[in-house]
Structures are given as C-alpha cells and as structure tokens.
Coordinates of all heavy atoms in Angstrom, one line a residue:
M1 N -14.3 40.0 24.5 CA -14.1 39.7 23.1 C -15.0 40.7 22.2 O -14.6 41.3 21.3 CB -14.2 38.3 22.8 CG -13.5 38.0 21.4 SD -11.7 38.1 21.3 CE -11.4 37.7 19.6
S2 N -16.3 40.6 22.6 CA -17.2 41.5 21.9 C -16.9 42.9 21.8 O -17.1 43.6 20.9 CB -18.6 41.0 22.3 OG -18.7 41.7 23.6
R3 N -16.4 43.3 23.1 CA -15.9 44.7 23.1 C -14.8 45.1 22.1 O -14.8 46.1 21.6 CB -15.4 45.0 24.6 CG -15.5 46.5 25.0 CD -15.8 46.7 26.4 NE -15.4 48.0 26.8 CZ -14.2 48.6 26.9 NH1 -13.2 48.0 26.9 NH2 -14.1 50.0 27.1
L4 N -13.8 44.1 22.1 CA -12.7 44.4 21.2 C -13.2 44.5 19.8 O -12.7 45.3 19.0 CB -11.8 43.1 21.3 CG -10.6 43.2 22.3 CD1 -9.8 41.9 22.1 CD2 -9.8 44.4 21.9
N5 N -14.2 43.7 19.5 CA -14.7 43.7 18.1 C -15.6 44.8 17.7 O -15.9 45.2 16.6 CB -15.4 42.4 17.7 CG -14.5 41.2 17.7 OD1 -13.4 41.3 17.5 ND2 -15.0 40.1 18.0
D6 N -16.1 45.5 18.7 CA -16.9 46.8 18.5 C -16.0 48.0 18.4 O -15.6 48.4 19.5 CB -18.0 46.8 19.6 CG -18.9 47.9 19.3 OD1 -18.9 48.6 18.2 OD2 -19.8 48.3 20.2
L7 N -15.9 48.5 17.3 CA -15.0 49.7 17.1 C -15.8 50.9 17.1 O -15.2 52.1 16.9 CB -14.3 49.5 15.7 CG -13.6 48.3 15.5 CD1 -12.8 48.2 14.1 CD2 -12.6 47.9 16.6
T8 N -17.1 50.8 17.3 CA -17.9 52.1 17.3 C -17.4 53.1 18.2 O -17.2 52.9 19.4 CB -19.4 51.8 17.6 OG1 -19.8 50.6 16.8 CG2 -20.3 52.9 17.3
G9 N -17.3 54.3 17.6 CA -16.7 55.4 18.5 C -15.3 55.6 18.8 O -14.8 56.5 19.1
Q10 N -14.6 54.6 18.2 CA -13.2 54.5 18.5 C -12.5 55.3 17.4 O -12.9 55.5 16.2 CB -12.5 53.1 18.4 CG -13.1 52.4 19.7 CD -12.2 51.1 19.8 OE1 -11.0 51.1 19.7 NE2 -12.9 49.9 20.0
R11 N -11.3 55.8 17.7 CA -10.5 56.7 16.8 C -9.3 55.9 16.3 O -8.6 55.3 17.1 CB -10.0 58.0 17.4 CG -11.3 58.8 17.6 CD -10.8 60.3 17.8 NE -10.0 60.6 16.6 CZ -10.0 61.9 16.2 NH1 -10.8 62.8 16.6 NH2 -9.3 62.1 15.2
F12 N -9.0 56.0 15.0 CA -7.9 55.3 14.4 C -7.2 56.4 13.5 O -7.7 56.5 12.3 CB -8.3 54.1 13.6 CG -8.7 53.0 14.4 CD1 -10.2 53.0 14.6 CD2 -8.0 52.1 15.2 CE1 -10.8 52.1 15.5 CE2 -8.6 51.2 16.0 CZ -10.0 51.1 16.1
G13 N -6.2 56.9 13.9 CA -5.6 58.1 13.1 C -6.6 59.2 12.9 O -7.2 59.7 13.9
R14 N -6.9 59.4 11.7 CA -8.0 60.5 11.5 C -9.5 59.9 11.4 O -10.3 60.7 11.3 CB -7.7 61.3 10.2 CG -6.5 62.1 10.3 CD -6.3 63.0 9.1 NE -5.3 64.0 9.3 CZ -5.0 64.9 8.5 NH1 -5.5 65.1 7.5 NH2 -3.9 65.8 8.7
W15 N -9.6 58.6 11.5 CA -10.9 58.0 11.4 C -11.5 58.0 12.8 O -10.9 57.7 13.7 CB -10.8 56.5 10.9 CG -10.3 56.2 9.6 CD1 -9.3 55.4 9.2 CD2 -11.0 56.6 8.4 NE1 -9.3 55.4 7.8 CE2 -10.3 56.1 7.3 CE3 -12.1 57.4 8.0 CZ2 -10.6 56.3 5.9 CZ3 -12.4 57.7 6.8 CH2 -11.6 57.1 5.7
T16 N -12.9 58.3 12.8 CA -13.7 58.1 13.8 C -14.7 56.9 13.3 O -15.4 57.3 12.3 CB -14.4 59.4 14.2 OG1 -13.5 60.3 14.7 CG2 -15.3 59.0 15.6
V17 N -14.9 55.8 14.1 CA -15.8 54.8 13.6 C -17.3 55.2 14.0 O -17.6 55.5 15.0 CB -15.4 53.5 14.2 CG1 -16.4 52.4 13.7 CG2 -13.9 53.1 13.6
L18 N -18.1 55.3 13.0 CA -19.5 55.7 13.1 C -20.4 54.4 13.5 O -21.2 54.4 14.4 CB -20.0 56.3 12.0 CG -19.3 57.6 11.6 CD1 -19.9 58.2 10.3 CD2 -19.3 58.7 12.7
E19 N -20.3 53.4 12.7 CA -21.1 52.2 12.9 C -20.7 51.0 12.0 O -20.0 51.2 11.0 CB -22.6 52.6 12.6 CG -22.8 53.1 11.1 CD -24.2 53.4 10.9 OE1 -25.0 53.6 11.8 OE2 -24.6 53.4 9.7
R20 N -21.1 49.9 12.5 CA -20.7 48.7 11.6 C -21.7 48.6 10.4 O -22.9 48.9 10.5 CB -20.9 47.4 12.5 CG -20.5 46.2 11.7 CD -20.0 45.2 12.6 NE -19.6 43.9 11.8 CZ -19.5 42.8 12.2 NH1 -19.5 42.6 13.4 NH2 -19.0 41.8 11.4
R21 N -21.0 48.1 9.3 CA -21.9 48.0 8.1 C -21.6 46.6 7.6 O -20.6 46.0 7.7 CB -21.3 49.0 7.0 CG -21.9 50.4 7.3 CD -23.3 50.5 7.1 NE -23.8 51.9 7.4 CZ -23.9 52.8 6.6 NH1 -23.5 52.7 5.3 NH2 -24.4 54.0 6.9
P22 N -22.7 46.1 6.8 CA -22.5 44.9 6.1 C -21.4 44.9 5.1 O -21.0 45.9 4.5 CB -23.8 44.6 5.4 CG -24.7 45.6 5.7 CD -23.9 46.7 6.5
K23 N -20.7 43.8 4.9 CA -19.7 43.7 4.0 C -20.1 44.0 2.7 O -21.1 43.5 2.0 CB -19.0 42.2 4.0 CG -17.9 42.0 3.0 CD -17.3 40.6 3.2 CE -18.2 39.5 2.8 NZ -18.2 39.2 1.3
P24 N -19.4 44.8 1.8 CA -19.8 45.2 0.6 C -19.7 44.0 -0.3 O -18.8 43.1 -0.2 CB -18.8 46.2 0.1 CG -18.1 46.8 1.3 CD -18.2 45.7 2.4
P25 N -20.7 43.7 -1.3 CA -20.8 42.5 -2.0 C -19.5 42.2 -2.9 O -19.3 41.1 -3.1 CB -22.0 42.8 -2.7 CG -22.5 44.0 -2.7 CD -21.8 44.7 -1.4
Y26 N -18.9 43.3 -3.2 CA -17.8 43.1 -4.2 C -16.5 42.8 -3.4 O -15.4 42.6 -4.0 CB -17.6 44.3 -5.1 CG -17.6 45.6 -4.2 CD1 -16.4 46.2 -3.7 CD2 -18.8 46.4 -3.9 CE1 -16.4 47.3 -3.0 CE2 -18.8 47.5 -3.3 CZ -17.5 48.0 -2.8 OH -17.5 49.2 -2.0
M27 N -16.5 42.7 -2.0 CA -15.3 42.4 -1.4 C -15.2 40.9 -0.8 O -16.4 40.4 -0.5 CB -15.4 43.4 0.0 CG -15.1 44.8 -0.4 SD -13.4 45.0 -1.0 CE -13.3 46.9 -1.3
T28 N -14.1 40.5 -0.8 CA -14.0 39.1 -0.2 C -13.5 39.1 1.1 O -13.2 40.1 1.7 CB -12.9 38.5 -1.1 OG1 -11.7 39.2 -1.1 CG2 -13.4 38.3 -2.6
G29 N -13.4 37.8 1.7 CA -13.0 37.8 3.0 C -14.1 37.9 4.2 O -15.3 38.0 3.8
T30 N -13.7 37.7 5.3 CA -14.7 37.6 6.5 C -14.6 38.8 7.4 O -15.0 38.8 8.5 CB -14.5 36.4 7.3 OG1 -13.1 36.4 7.7 CG2 -14.7 35.0 6.4
D31 N -13.9 39.9 7.0 CA -13.6 41.0 7.9 C -15.0 41.7 8.2 O -15.8 41.8 7.4 CB -12.6 42.0 7.3 CG -11.2 41.4 7.2 OD1 -10.8 40.8 8.0 OD2 -10.6 41.6 6.2
A32 N -14.9 42.3 9.4 CA -16.0 43.3 9.6 C -15.8 44.6 8.9 O -14.6 45.1 8.7 CB -16.1 43.5 11.0
W33 N -16.8 45.2 8.4 CA -16.6 46.5 7.8 C -17.4 47.6 8.6 O -18.4 47.3 9.2 CB -17.3 46.5 6.4 CG -16.4 45.8 5.4 CD1 -16.2 44.3 5.4 CD2 -15.4 46.2 4.6 NE1 -15.4 44.0 4.4 CE2 -14.8 45.1 3.9 CE3 -15.0 47.5 4.0 CZ2 -13.9 45.2 3.0 CZ3 -14.1 47.6 3.2 CH2 -13.5 46.5 2.6
W34 N -16.6 48.8 8.6 CA -17.1 49.8 9.5 C -17.3 51.1 8.6 O -16.4 51.5 7.7 CB -16.2 50.2 10.5 CG -15.9 48.9 11.4 CD1 -15.2 47.8 11.2 CD2 -16.8 48.5 12.5 NE1 -15.3 46.9 12.1 CE2 -16.3 47.3 13.0 CE3 -17.7 49.3 13.2 CZ2 -16.9 46.7 14.1 CZ3 -18.3 48.6 14.4 CH2 -17.8 47.3 14.8
L35 N -18.3 51.9 8.8 CA -18.4 53.2 8.3 C -17.6 54.2 9.2 O -17.8 54.3 10.4 CB -19.9 53.7 8.3 CG -20.1 55.1 7.6 CD1 -19.7 55.1 6.1 CD2 -21.5 55.5 7.7
A36 N -16.6 54.8 8.6 CA -15.9 55.8 9.4 C -15.7 57.1 8.8 O -15.9 57.3 7.5 CB -14.3 55.1 9.5
R37 N -15.7 58.2 9.6 CA -15.5 59.5 9.1 C -14.1 60.1 9.4 O -13.6 60.0 10.5 CB -16.5 60.3 9.8 CG -16.5 61.8 9.1 CD -17.3 62.9 10.0 NE -18.8 62.4 9.9 CZ -19.6 62.6 10.8 NH1 -19.1 62.8 12.0 NH2 -20.9 62.3 10.6
C38 N -13.5 60.5 8.3 CA -12.1 61.1 8.4 C -12.4 62.6 9.1 O -13.4 63.1 9.0 CB -11.6 61.1 7.1 SG -10.0 61.8 7.0
E39 N -11.3 63.1 9.5 CA -11.3 64.5 10.1 C -11.7 65.4 9.1 O -12.1 66.6 9.4 CB -9.9 64.7 10.7 CG -9.8 64.3 12.1 CD -8.5 64.6 12.8 OE1 -7.8 65.4 12.2 OE2 -8.1 64.0 13.8
C40 N -11.4 65.2 7.8 CA -11.6 66.1 6.7 C -13.1 66.1 6.3 O -13.5 66.9 5.5 CB -10.7 65.8 5.5 SG -11.2 64.3 4.7
G41 N -13.9 65.1 6.8 CA -15.2 65.0 6.6 C -15.8 64.0 5.7 O -16.9 63.8 5.6
K42 N -14.8 63.4 4.9 CA -15.2 62.2 4.2 C -15.7 60.9 5.0 O -14.9 60.6 5.9 CB -14.0 61.9 3.2 CG -13.9 62.8 2.1 CD -12.8 62.3 1.1 CE -12.5 63.4 0.2 NZ -11.1 63.3 -0.5
E43 N -16.7 60.3 4.5 CA -17.1 59.0 5.1 C -16.7 57.9 4.2 O -16.9 58.0 2.9 CB -18.5 59.1 5.4 CG -18.9 60.1 6.6 CD -20.3 60.1 6.9 OE1 -21.0 59.3 6.4 OE2 -20.6 60.9 7.8
R44 N -16.3 56.8 4.7 CA -15.9 55.7 3.9 C -16.1 54.4 4.5 O -16.0 54.4 5.9 CB -14.5 55.8 3.5 CG -14.1 54.8 2.4 CD -12.5 55.1 2.1 NE -12.4 56.2 1.1 CZ -11.2 56.5 0.6 NH1 -10.2 55.9 0.8 NH2 -11.2 57.5 -0.3
L45 N -16.3 53.3 3.9 CA -16.3 51.9 4.5 C -14.9 51.5 4.6 O -14.1 51.5 3.7 CB -17.1 50.9 3.7 CG -18.6 51.0 3.8 CD1 -19.1 49.9 2.8 CD2 -19.1 50.8 5.1
V46 N -14.6 51.1 5.7 CA -13.0 50.6 6.1 C -13.1 49.2 6.7 O -13.9 48.9 7.5 CB -12.4 51.7 7.0 CG1 -10.9 51.3 6.9 CG2 -12.6 53.1 6.5
R47 N -12.2 48.4 6.1 CA -12.1 47.1 6.7 C -11.5 47.2 8.2 O -10.6 47.8 8.4 CB -11.1 46.2 5.8 CG -11.1 44.9 5.8 CD -10.0 44.2 5.0 NE -10.2 44.3 3.6 CZ -10.6 43.3 2.9 NH1 -10.8 42.0 3.4 NH2 -10.8 43.4 1.7
G48 N -12.2 46.4 9.1 CA -11.9 46.5 10.5 C -10.5 46.0 10.8 O -9.8 46.7 11.5
T49 N -9.8 45.1 10.1 CA -8.5 44.7 10.3 C -7.6 45.9 10.0 O -6.6 46.0 10.7 CB -8.2 43.4 9.5 OG1 -8.6 43.6 8.2 CG2 -8.8 42.2 10.1
L50 N -7.8 46.6 8.9 CA -6.9 47.7 8.6 C -6.9 48.8 9.8 O -5.9 49.3 10.0 CB -7.3 48.4 7.3 CG -7.2 47.6 5.9 CD1 -7.6 48.4 4.8 CD2 -5.9 47.0 5.8
L51 N -8.1 49.0 10.3 CA -8.2 50.0 11.5 C -7.4 49.6 12.7 O -6.5 50.3 13.2 CB -9.6 50.2 11.8 CG -10.5 51.0 10.8 CD1 -11.9 50.8 11.1 CD2 -10.1 52.3 10.6
V52 N -7.7 48.3 13.0 CA -7.1 47.8 14.2 C -5.5 47.6 14.1 O -4.8 47.9 15.1 CB -7.7 46.4 14.5 CG1 -6.9 45.7 15.6 CG2 -9.1 46.5 14.8
H53 N -5.1 47.3 12.9 CA -3.7 47.2 12.8 C -2.9 48.5 12.4 O -1.7 48.5 12.0 CB -3.3 46.1 11.7 CG -3.7 44.7 12.2 ND1 -3.1 44.2 13.3 CD2 -4.7 43.9 11.7 CE1 -3.6 43.0 13.5 NE2 -4.6 42.7 12.6
G54 N -3.7 49.6 12.3 CA -3.2 50.9 11.9 C -2.7 51.1 10.6 O -2.0 52.0 10.3
R55 N -3.3 50.3 9.6 CA -2.8 50.3 8.3 C -3.8 51.3 7.5 O -3.5 51.5 6.3 CB -2.9 48.9 7.6 CG -1.6 48.2 8.2 CD -1.8 46.7 8.0 NE -1.9 46.3 6.6 CZ -2.5 45.1 6.1 NH1 -2.8 44.3 7.1 NH2 -2.5 44.8 4.8
S56 N -4.8 51.7 8.0 CA -5.7 52.8 7.5 C -5.8 53.9 8.4 O -6.4 53.6 9.5 CB -7.0 52.2 7.0 OG -7.8 53.3 6.4
Q57 N -5.3 55.1 8.2 CA -5.4 56.1 9.2 C -6.2 57.4 8.7 O -6.3 58.3 9.5 CB -3.9 56.5 9.6 CG -3.2 55.3 10.1 CD -2.2 55.7 11.2 OE1 -1.5 56.6 11.0 NE2 -2.3 55.0 12.4
S58 N -6.5 57.2 7.4 CA -7.3 58.5 6.9 C -7.9 58.0 5.6 O -7.5 57.0 5.1 CB -6.5 59.7 6.7 OG -5.6 59.6 5.6
C59 N -8.7 58.9 5.0 CA -9.2 58.7 3.7 C -8.2 58.7 2.6 O -8.4 58.5 1.4 CB -10.3 59.6 3.5 SG -9.8 61.3 3.2
G60 N -7.0 59.2 3.0 CA -6.0 59.6 2.0 C -5.5 61.0 2.2 O -4.4 61.2 1.7
C61 N -6.1 61.7 2.9 CA -5.8 63.1 3.0 C -4.6 63.2 3.8 O -3.8 64.1 3.7 CB -6.9 64.0 3.6 SG -7.4 63.5 5.2
L62 N -4.3 62.3 4.8 CA -3.1 62.3 5.7 C -1.9 62.2 4.7 O -0.8 63.0 4.9 CB -3.1 61.1 6.6 CG -2.1 61.0 7.7 CD1 -2.3 62.3 8.6 CD2 -2.4 59.9 8.5
R63 N -1.9 61.2 3.8 CA -0.9 61.0 2.9 C -0.6 62.3 2.1 O 0.5 62.8 1.8 CB -1.1 59.8 2.0 CG 0.2 59.4 1.3 CD 0.0 58.1 0.5 NE -0.8 57.1 1.3 CZ -1.4 56.0 0.9 NH1 -1.6 56.0 -0.4 NH2 -1.9 55.1 1.6
S64 N -1.6 62.8 1.5 CA -1.4 64.1 0.6 C -0.9 65.2 1.5 O -0.2 66.0 0.9 CB -2.6 64.5 -0.2 OG -3.8 64.4 0.7
D65 N -1.3 65.3 2.8 CA -0.7 66.4 3.5 C 0.7 66.2 3.7 O 1.5 67.1 3.5 CB -1.3 66.3 5.0 CG -2.7 67.0 5.1 OD1 -3.2 67.5 3.9 OD2 -3.4 67.0 6.1
R66 N 1.1 65.0 3.9 CA 2.6 64.7 4.1 C 3.3 65.0 2.8 O 4.5 65.4 2.9 CB 2.7 63.2 4.5 CG 2.5 63.0 5.9 CD 2.9 61.6 6.3 NE 2.5 61.4 7.8 CZ 2.2 60.2 8.3 NH1 2.2 59.2 7.6 NH2 1.8 60.1 9.5
I67 N 2.8 64.7 1.7 CA 3.5 64.9 0.3 C 3.6 66.5 0.2 O 4.6 66.8 -0.1 CB 2.6 64.2 -0.8 CG1 2.8 62.8 -0.7 CG2 3.2 64.8 -2.1 CD1 1.7 61.9 -1.6
R68 N 2.6 67.1 0.5 CA 2.6 68.6 0.4 C 3.7 69.1 1.3 O 4.4 70.0 0.9 CB 1.2 69.2 0.7 CG 1.0 70.6 0.2 CD -0.5 71.0 0.4 NE -1.4 70.0 0.0 CZ -2.4 69.7 0.7 NH1 -2.7 70.2 1.9 NH2 -3.4 68.8 0.3
E69 N 3.7 68.6 2.5 CA 4.7 69.2 3.4 C 6.1 68.9 2.8 O 7.0 69.7 3.1 CB 4.6 68.4 4.8 CG 3.6 69.1 5.7 CD 3.2 68.2 6.9 OE1 4.0 67.4 7.3 OE2 2.1 68.4 7.4
S70 N 6.4 67.8 2.3 CA 7.6 67.4 1.9 C 8.1 68.3 0.7 O 9.2 68.6 0.4 CB 7.9 66.0 1.6 OG 7.2 65.6 0.5
F71 N 7.2 68.5 -0.2 CA 7.3 69.4 -1.2 C 7.9 70.9 -0.8 O 8.7 71.4 -1.2 CB 6.0 69.6 -2.2 CG 5.9 68.5 -3.2 CD1 4.7 68.1 -3.5 CD2 7.0 68.2 -4.0 CE1 4.4 67.0 -4.5 CE2 6.8 67.0 -4.9 CZ 5.5 66.7 -5.1
Q72 N 7.0 71.4 0.2 CA 7.3 72.6 0.8 C 8.7 72.6 1.3 O 9.5 73.6 1.1 CB 6.3 73.0 1.7 CG 5.0 73.6 1.1 CD 3.8 73.6 2.1 OE1 3.9 73.3 3.2 NE2 2.7 74.3 1.7
K73 N 9.1 71.5 1.9 CA 10.5 71.6 2.6 C 11.5 71.6 1.6 O 12.4 72.2 1.8 CB 10.5 70.1 3.4 CG 11.3 70.3 4.7 CD 11.2 69.1 5.5 CE 12.6 68.8 6.1 NZ 12.6 67.4 6.6
K74 N 11.2 70.7 0.5 CA 12.3 70.8 -0.6 C 12.5 72.0 -1.3 O 13.5 72.5 -1.6 CB 11.8 69.7 -1.6 CG 12.2 68.3 -1.2 CD 11.9 67.3 -2.5 CE 12.1 65.9 -2.0 NZ 11.0 65.0 -2.5
R75 N 11.3 72.8 -1.4 CA 11.3 74.1 -1.9 C 12.1 75.0 -1.2 O 13.0 75.8 -1.6 CB 9.9 74.6 -2.2 CG 9.9 75.6 -3.3 CD 8.5 75.7 -4.0 NE 7.5 75.5 -2.9 CZ 6.1 75.3 -3.2 NH1 5.7 75.3 -4.4 NH2 5.3 75.2 -2.1
L76 N 11.9 74.9 0.3 CA 12.7 75.8 1.2 C 14.2 75.5 1.1 O 15.0 76.3 1.1 CB 12.2 75.5 2.6 CG 10.8 76.2 2.9 CD1 10.4 75.8 4.3 CD2 10.9 77.7 2.7
E77 N 14.5 74.0 1.0 CA 15.8 73.7 0.9 C 16.6 74.3 -0.3 O 17.8 74.6 -0.2 CB 16.0 72.2 0.9 CG 15.8 71.7 2.4 CD 15.5 70.1 2.5 OE1 15.5 69.6 1.4 OE2 15.2 69.6 3.6
R78 N 15.8 74.3 -1.5 CA 16.4 74.8 -2.6 C 16.5 76.4 -2.6 O 17.1 77.0 -3.5 CB 15.6 74.5 -3.9 CG 15.7 73.1 -4.2 CD 15.4 72.9 -5.7 NE 14.0 73.3 -6.0 CZ 12.8 72.6 -6.0 NH1 13.1 71.3 -5.7 NH2 11.7 73.1 -6.2
G79 N 15.9 77.0 -1.5 CA 16.0 78.4 -1.5 C 15.1 79.2 -2.4 O 15.2 80.4 -2.7
A80 N 14.0 78.4 -2.9 CA 13.0 79.2 -3.9 C 12.1 80.0 -3.0 O 11.8 79.6 -1.8 CB 12.4 78.0 -4.6
Ligands
ZN101 ZN1 -9.5 62.7 5.0

C-alpha cells in the first residue's frame, strides 16, 4: 500500500514525479500533493489523485499541442 502511494519517480503522461510536497494551504481535501516536472520543463504541484487517475497528463502543453495540430490539419483540409 505504501508503495502504491509513493509516486516518486513515476511517469504520468508528460509528468515525472519528483517528490512529495505538503498540501498547499489554499487547497482543500486530503489528497497527497506531488511536485512533478513536465517534459517541457515546467514544474508544478499536482494532486495525487489526478495523476493516478490519468486526469492530469501535462502542465497544459499537451492540450495546446493538440489544439495546434488540429488547427494545422484544418488548414490543410481547406487547402490553404
Ligand atoms: Zn508541459
């Protein structure tokens, strides 16, 4: 069980978990918080449950990459 709860060094999408951090005071709930580094180099505190359930996979750059890709695809489809 303790191994399950230790996310250090694990990868979730683009996140690599660096270390456990105390819960930020402005956050509610009992989740564990982790300092994670995205592949793009950004570091951020991420709620453990989001990582484990795959609901956080990057700092946001993954989504903007996808949006950019779909824009490019649309432009190609229009023949521009
Ligand atoms: Zn990123």
Side-chain angles (χ1 to χ4, degrees):
M1 196 65 188
S2 63
R3 197 161 171 271
L4 266 182
N5 290 333
D6 185 8
L7 307 184
T8 308
Q10 293 194 47
R11 294 200 49 146
F12 299 91
R14 290 189 170 184
W15 290 125
T16 301
V17 178
L18 300 178
E19 60 185 17
R20 185 153 179 192
R21 284 292 177 88
K23 179 171 72 73
Y26 50 88
M27 290 295 185
T28 57
T30 55
D31 295 319
W33 286 80
W34 301 86
L35 180 66
R37 186 192 290 132
C38 183
E39 274 180 21
C40 71
K42 279 186 192 157
E43 292 184 2
R44 186 181 285 184
L45 283 178
V46 189
R47 201 184 282 260
T49 48
L50 294 185
L51 291 170
V52 169
H53 295 296
R55 284 160 61 196
S56 179
Q57 303 213 308
S58 78
C59 69
C61 61
L62 189 61
R63 195 177 304 158
S64 48
D65 280 359
R66 281 189 186 148
I67 290 169
R68 202 175 307 136
E69 275 165 25
S70 73
F71 273 140
Q72 279 166 355
K73 210 171 149 205
K74 275 184 193 139
R75 205 153 39 188
L76 286 177
E77 282 163 4
R78 283 203 308 264

